[in-house]
Amino acid sequence: VQLQASGGGSVQPGGSLTLSCVVSGITFDYYAVGWFRQAPGKEREGVSCQSSSDDSTYYLDSVKGRFTIARDDGKKTWYLQMNSLKPEDTAVYYCATDRAQMSATHGCRFGMDYRGEGTQVTVSS
């Protein structure tokens, strides 16, 4: 299973980015998808997750109202639309998925089995 995240970059505060994650080599149904991030010197945190097993969605409090997760299972792709970016959003962002039937909150809080390489997001003026 391979996950490839893309769409990162450098933007000014208030700017927007859309991250994409494409999964390949997957031969099983996957229910949970998500985005995690890790800033230098900080622990990895779940930013947003979505589960098709219970149709739940989770957002980290600090990104609510600014970030939106979406998935296209036909394309085996999911997205993270990030608006009104802040310097504290600077981090390496990772996409992940799991074959277990879990809630979005569980996935974001405890992690998922499959994770791809990250994409850097830098927000600075």
Side-chain angles (χ1 to χ4, degrees):
V1 177
Q2 292 187 324
L3 292 83
Q4 181 64 54
S6 61
S10 296
V11 296
Q12 294 185 339
S16 298
L17 286 172
T18 300
L19 305 183
S20 300
C21 181
V22 179
V23 61
S24 60
I26 199 164
T27 59
F28 48 84
D29 291 334
Y30 57 98
Y31 298 96
V33 299
W35 291 94
F36 299 77
R37 70 186 181 188
Q38 188 165 20
K42 294 187 177 181
E43 293 187 355
R44 191 182 67 201
E45 59 184 356
V47 177
S48 182
C49 296
Q50 199 280 334
S51 174
S52 60
S53 63
D54 64 357
D55 200 25
S56 62
T57 303
Y58 168 91
Y59 291 101
L60 187 67
D61 284 346
S62 61
V63 308
K64 285 181 179 177
R66 301 188 297 121
F67 290 10
T68 303
I69 190 170
R71 63 192 286 174
D72 185 339
D73 290 341
K75 295 181 179 179
K76 292 185 170 55
T77 303
W78 53 99
Y79 309 90
L80 186 68
Q81 173 67 45
M82 305 186 294
N83 298 325
S84 302
L85 282 162
K86 303 176 180 180
E88 51 263 43
D89 294 319
T90 296
V92 177
Y93 284 70
Y94 303 88
C95 57
T97 189
D98 202 298
R99 65 191 304 173
Q101 296 193 35
M102 61 178 65
S103 70
T105 299
H106 181 97
C108 261
R109 286 184 176 175
F110 298 105
M112 300 181 185
D113 284 348
Y114 302 94
R115 192 184 78 178
E117 297 293 326
T119 184
Q120 176 71 46
V121 172
T122 303
V123 185
S124 70
S125 54

